[in-house]
């Protein structure tokens, strides 16, 4: 068995390529250029039916910041309910206050709606004002996993903070953003992370099984 790799996928083709390449899990979303938003439930349903690996789904109503209005919270709650009905593995959520702290009241509502699904706190964490305080809040909320680039533009640049979070314990750290075949071994060594997140894009700009294979098996 190679590394545990979660592939970020925006189409059924990409999701199937991820599985064929040896990914352990996929995260579904749409509109990656703005950081990803909630995918269509038709896409989610087709992926759950087609794949044998776990399917996680990003719940984010729009691009931009992570300070959400009540209307947007209601949209996220509705999306979570739809995901539960379809039978996904986990939802990927996150919310911040205007001061850059984890929005604990909103997160509690989203997590309560999501259970018993797994919950990943997404890279809103990397825009928090104080990463250590934010991480403690995420753990206290009972999140199963944190997707992070270590408060930097890429997981490679943030690998040492990722390592600090791994040592703190409390939830699984999923190292993501800019994870590529040429740097994953260094991120792994310096952070001791055991789960990695990548779009695994090849030359076509889409998730490709060859790139997934490289990431999972340390092939350059």
């Amino acid at each position: 068995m190679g590394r545990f790799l979660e592939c970020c996928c925006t189409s059924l083709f990409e999701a199937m390529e991820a599985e064929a390449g040896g990914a352990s899990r996929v995260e579904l979303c749409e509109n990656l250029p703005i950081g990803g938003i909630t995918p269509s439930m038709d896409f989610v349903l087709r992926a759950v039916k087609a794949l044998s690996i776990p399917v996680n789904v990003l719940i984010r109503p729009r691009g931009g910041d992570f300070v959400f209005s009540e209307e947007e919270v209601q949209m996220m709650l509705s999306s979570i309910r739809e995901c539960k009905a379809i039978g996904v593995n986990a939802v990927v959520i996150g919310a911040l206050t205007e001061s850059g702290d984890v929005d604990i009241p909103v997160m509690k509502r989203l997590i309560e709606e999501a259970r018993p699904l797994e919950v990943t706190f997404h890279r809103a964490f990397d825009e928090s004002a104080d990463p250590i305080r934010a991480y403690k809040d995420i753990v206290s909320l009972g999140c199963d996993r944190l997707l992070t680039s270590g408060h930097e533009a890429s997981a490679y640049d943030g690998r040492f903070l990722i390592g600090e979070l791994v040592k703190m314990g409390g939830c699984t750290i999923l190292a993501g953003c800019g994870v590529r075949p040429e740097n994953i071994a260094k991120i792994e060594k310096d952070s001791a992370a055991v789960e990695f997140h990548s779009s695994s894009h090849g030359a076509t700009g889409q998730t490709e099984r060859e790139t997934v294979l490289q990431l999972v098996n340390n092939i350059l």
Side-chain angles (χ1 to χ4, degrees):
M1 295 291 291
R3 293 188 183 92
F4 190 106
L5 180 70
E6 173 185 276
C7 284
C8 178
C9 302
T10 60
S11 70
L12 185 59
F13 169 81
E14 287 192 321
M16 294 179 73
E17 283 290 288
E19 182 172 56
S24 297
R25 187 173 62 225
V26 294
E27 182 205 280
L28 306 183
C29 68
E30 292 180 355
N31 207 342
L32 268 183
I34 63 169
I37 59 173
T38 306
S40 75
M41 289 301 134
D42 176 65
F43 171 28
V44 174
L45 179 61
R46 288 186 292 121
V48 168
K49 288 182 175 179
L51 302 178
S52 60
I53 58 176
V55 174
N56 292 5
V57 179
L58 176 64
I59 306 296
R60 185 185 180 200
R62 56 164 173 77
D65 64 33
F66 300 98
V67 181
F68 298 111
S69 67
E70 178 58 27
E71 180 180 5
E72 290 167 336
V73 172
Q74 290 297 329
M75 291 171 63
M76 290 190 285
L77 291 169
S78 177
S79 295
I80 290 170
R81 285 191 287 272
E82 291 182 276
C83 285
K84 287 175 71 174
I86 290 170
V88 306
N89 175 69
V91 292
V92 183
I93 56 179
L96 301 177
T97 66
E98 291 184 358
S99 60
D101 293 317
V102 173
D103 192 330
I104 291 176
V106 167
M107 285 301 302
K108 284 183 175 178
R109 293 169 64 191
L110 298 176
I111 292 169
E112 181 179 3
E113 190 65 61
R115 295 303 188 193
L117 301 181
E118 291 184 10
V119 171
T120 297
F121 194 101
H122 58 49
R123 290 190 60 233
F125 168 83
D126 294 314
E127 296 188 17
S128 62
D130 182 330
I132 300 302
R133 183 171 68 237
Y135 181 66
K136 290 178 178 177
D137 286 341
I138 289 164
V139 170
S140 72
L141 285 164
C143 294
D144 302 285
R145 183 174 293 102
L146 169 63
L147 169 61
T148 178
S149 60
H151 233 244
E152 297 288 351
S154 72
Y156 180 83
D157 292 339
R159 65 193 186 279
F160 295 111
L161 177 59
I162 292 172
E164 288 184 39
L165 301 177
V166 169
K167 288 178 183 177
M168 288 175 67
C171 73
T172 300
I173 303 300
L174 177 61
C177 190
V179 175
R180 300 294 298 165
E182 60 269 21
N183 64 23
I184 192 169
K186 184 67 171 172
I187 298 169
E188 183 178 49
K189 179 178 182 294
D190 290 341
S191 70
V194 296
E195 291 194 5
F196 300 89
H197 173 96
S198 174
S199 60
S200 305
H201 286 173
T204 64
Q206 299 182 86
T207 302
E208 295 181 1
R209 66 184 67 188
E210 293 81 5
T211 305
V212 175
L213 277 165
Q214 291 175 331
L215 286 159
V216 169
N217 297 307
N218 209 34
I219 302 169
L220 291 176

